[in-house]
């Protein structure tokens, strides 16, 4: 179970890492306007949070054999078919929701920084 949890974490972390890189690039592109950069970062982070929540909802019904986690799981570590769907769907749902919480906090921090920049006139 711990190996499955690790693989789920790695697959979601990789996807969030690529999304975060894109958000960072947008913010760098707007770096001449700090308030706008953090507003864009907050908005895009919130969008990523919503996508993660939708993925968590989808995880309940998605076929476990079509997940990236199932492909990375060694054949000898795979659970029996009778339990696999329930185990993998609940594990992926839990992982997506934990990343959604983290990105929501990051979004709140970015919006707060944008508000501070707005208050000081930048």
């Amino acid at each position: 179970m711990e190996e499955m949890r690790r693989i789920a974490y790695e697959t979601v972390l990789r996807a969030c890492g690529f999304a975060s890189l894109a958000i960072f690039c947008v913010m760098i592109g707007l770096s001449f306007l700090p308030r706008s950069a953090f507003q864009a970062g907050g908005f895009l982070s919130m969008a990523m949070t919503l996508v993660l929540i939708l993925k968590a909802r989808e995880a309940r019904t998605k076929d476990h054999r079509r997940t990236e986690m199932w492909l990375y799981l060694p054949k000898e570590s795979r659970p029996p078919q009778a339990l696999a769907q329930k185990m993998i769907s609940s594990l992926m749902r839990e992982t997506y929701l934990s990343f959604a919480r983290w990105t929501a906090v990051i979004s709140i921090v970015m919006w707060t920084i944008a508000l501070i920049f707005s208050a000081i006139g930048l």
Side-chain angles (χ1 to χ4, degrees):
M1 185 71 170
E2 285 307 311
E3 184 176 10
M4 289 173 51
R5 189 177 309 278
R6 181 186 58 79
I7 292 172
Y9 183 85
E10 288 173 359
T11 57
V12 177
L13 180 66
R14 180 181 25 248
C16 288
F18 283 123
S20 297
L21 179 62
I23 293 169
F24 179 73
C25 288
V26 168
M27 290 178 69
I28 290 296
L30 292 171
S31 62
F32 58 92
L33 296 170
R35 181 177 51 99
S36 296
F38 280 100
Q39 283 177 336
F43 177 78
L44 293 172
S45 295
M46 189 54 66
M48 185 165 73
T49 301
L50 293 174
V51 168
L52 287 166
I53 290 170
L54 291 174
K55 293 291 283 181
R57 281 190 62 147
E58 177 194 37
R60 290 185 280 177
T61 58
K62 187 172 184 176
D63 183 12
H64 69 279
R65 293 168 292 179
R66 295 193 172 269
T67 61
E68 188 177 2
M69 184 185 130
W70 184 258
L71 296 174
Y72 284 123
L73 199 59
K75 291 192 189 298
E76 61 275 357
S77 297
R78 291 180 179 171
Q81 288 293 328
L83 297 172
Q85 179 66 40
K86 184 172 172 88
M87 288 175 66
I88 289 176
S89 65
S90 65
L91 190 60
M92 291 304 292
R93 184 173 188 274
E94 173 188 319
T95 306
Y96 282 129
L97 289 176
S98 68
F99 274 89
R101 278 189 292 273
W102 295 341
T103 57
V105 168
I106 291 168
S107 178
I108 291 168
V109 168
M110 286 193 192
W111 279 110
T112 303
I113 293 171
L115 183 65
I116 292 168
F117 278 136
S118 181
I120 62 173
L122 289 178

